[in-house]
Amino acid sequence: MRSRKLIAVVSLILILSMVLMTGCGGKSDENNESEETYTISEPINVAVMNGPTGMGMIDLLENENYNIEIYQAPTDALPKLISGEVDVACLPSNMAAVLYQKTEGQVVCVSPMVMGVLSILGNGAEVTDIQDLKGKTIVSSGQGGTPEYALQAVLEANGLTLGEDVQVSWLANHADVNALLLTTPGTIAMVPEPFCSVALANGGDSISKLFDMNDLWNEAVGQDFPMGVLIARREFAENRSDDLRAMLIDIKASIDDVNTASDEVAQKIVDAGFLGDPAIAKAAIPNCSLCLYADEEGDCSFAKGAEIMKAFNEAMFGMNPAAVGGSLPGDDLYFTGR
């Protein structure tokens, strides 16, 4: 009975999500066909996270043009991008500015790739309003990254202070957070997709979504909430510009494929090890908000992506300059497509 109920819910979510899906990842290609073609001169080394960014590149995993490594935490991938072992990486959005400062401008922010996907869930937690979080502890992963600063902004907008009114227990990765959430009644956890869908599907009636962080961020800051960003080493972007262009075309095609949430895509996500159940994968995909701003003009242009990231970095800087490496990055952080 429970499995039938899950399938019914998943089907409803998919129908509604496909009706509502808009943006720079779920559109038809008919108005976005590139007039130029590019070829990749040699394999590109890529780092993605075990989450939406990795899922968005599912069609690139078996492509010999890419050496893709999947990481559980951004801290594992950062040193390899800095050292040059990795050419392109998908990381939490504030890491673009942090790396820009750390490397003295030797990285470029190519495009937002994942928009707001964070949620606060509870295992039987008696929380109905943000104020109910006062005096409580939230379990999460991503200390020093986008999750921490997003939570800080949301709490401050509601008169609460992170570390004083609300505590956070930081764990190594999202899988550990989910494990604790599912096994410990009373736990409050902040997790991104697809871990949110996994918890809701596996936790039965005891797990519920308390807050959508994307909605709370928009209320607090009044802007879009980029969660993940595509970053490239400047040397790679300049010296292998055709390779980067070819990669962006492949990423766009992969994201468009994933956003169909077809049975085939769901199975590929399971086969790659991102999730263990095709039904959960299908339910999670529309909520992953995959996107790519890599057109010359229009709503999905490089310029629009840069605008989103500039606004995000300014909001982060206003809360805590350390969130973006101590100072706002120069305009040369943002990739223009040329």
Side-chain angles (χ1 to χ4, degrees):
M1 180 66 69
R2 180 178 167 187
S3 62
R4 290 181 180 177
K5 182 179 179 182
L6 172 61
I7 292 172
V9 170
V10 169
S11 298
L12 179 60
I13 291 173
L14 283 170
I15 291 170
L16 292 174
S17 299
M18 294 307 292
V19 169
L20 296 174
M21 187 183 294
T22 59
C24 298
K27 303 193 310 179
S28 167
D29 279 339
E30 64 181 51
N31 295 321
N32 292 287
E33 291 182 359
S34 174
E35 295 181 358
E36 299 181 78
T37 59
Y38 302 89
T39 57
I40 293 177
S41 61
E42 60 181 280
I44 301 172
N45 298 321
V46 185
V48 299
M49 296 300 105
N50 182 15
T53 58
M55 292 165 58
M57 290 197 184
I58 196 73
D59 289 345
L60 278 63
L61 291 180
E62 300 301 323
N63 188 324
E64 63 182 12
N65 286 319
Y66 306 103
N67 297 321
I68 299 179
E69 191 162 352
I70 302 167
Y71 294 87
Q72 297 297 323
T75 50
D76 297 330
L78 288 177
K80 294 191 175 184
L81 184 65
I82 293 172
S83 69
E85 293 178 66
V86 165
D87 302 309
V88 178
C90 301
L91 297 168
S93 292
N94 72 305
M95 288 292 102
V98 170
L99 283 168
Y100 176 88
Q101 309 294 356
K102 187 181 292 289
T103 64
E104 299 182 342
Q106 295 309 303
V107 298
V108 291
C109 174
V110 179
S111 169
M113 190 170 171
V114 177
M115 302 308 283
V117 293
L118 276 177
S119 294
I120 296 179
L121 308 181
N123 183 341
E126 296 181 1
V127 174
T128 58
D129 185 85
I130 288 290
Q131 296 300 323
D132 294 336
L133 293 174
K134 188 172 184 177
K136 293 183 168 58
T137 296
I138 297 173
V139 180
S140 186
S141 179
Q143 185 176 21
T146 309
E148 179 177 5
Y149 295 115
L151 181 60
Q152 178 183 333
V154 165
L155 292 177
E156 288 181 355
N158 288 275
L160 300 173
T161 300
L162 183 66
E164 296 179 12
D165 300 311
V166 181
Q167 303 297 321
V168 181
S169 176
W170 296 104
L171 301 186
N173 55 62
H174 303 306
D176 290 345
V177 174
N178 257 15
L180 185 63
L181 173 67
L182 290 170
T183 58
T184 309
T187 297
I188 300 171
M190 182 170 67
V191 293
E193 289 292 351
F195 298 91
C196 178
S197 291
V198 171
L200 290 171
N202 292 332
D205 295 335
S206 63
I207 305 297
S208 61
K209 180 183 286 191
L210 305 178
F211 306 107
D212 184 317
M213 286 292 291
N214 193 46
D215 292 341
L216 294 177
W217 172 270
N218 274 292
E219 291 173 8
V221 180
Q223 65 173 11
D224 291 322
F225 180 26
M227 280 287 298
V229 64
L230 192 69
I231 302 171
R233 290 188 302 107
R234 187 175 301 279
E235 180 183 12
F236 171 81
E238 293 177 352
N239 295 342
R240 297 177 60 186
S241 58
D242 282 0
D243 286 3
L244 178 57
R245 281 290 198 158
M247 182 181 185
L248 291 175
I249 292 170
D250 287 346
I251 293 175
K252 174 63 167 59
S254 182
I255 287 176
D256 284 346
D257 184 28
V258 172
N259 279 340
T260 65
S262 67
D263 290 342
E264 180 183 0
V265 166
Q267 189 59 54
K268 283 195 288 188
I269 288 172
V270 170
D271 292 343
F274 290 110
L275 292 167
D277 186 330
I280 295 175
K282 289 190 69 168
I285 288 168
N287 299 321
C288 285
S289 302
L290 293 166
C291 60
L292 192 69
Y293 291 82
D295 293 344
E296 292 300 330
E297 56 186 25
D299 293 339
C300 299
S301 66
F302 290 110
K304 180 62 178 178
E307 178 185 318
I308 291 170
M309 289 305 304
K310 284 182 182 180
F312 171 81
N313 286 329
E314 288 169 0
M316 292 288 105
F317 180 78
M319 286 188 296
N320 184 350
V324 291
S327 61
L328 283 173
D331 286 346
D332 61 328
L333 168 64
Y334 308 103
F335 187 68
T336 64
R338 297 178 177 84

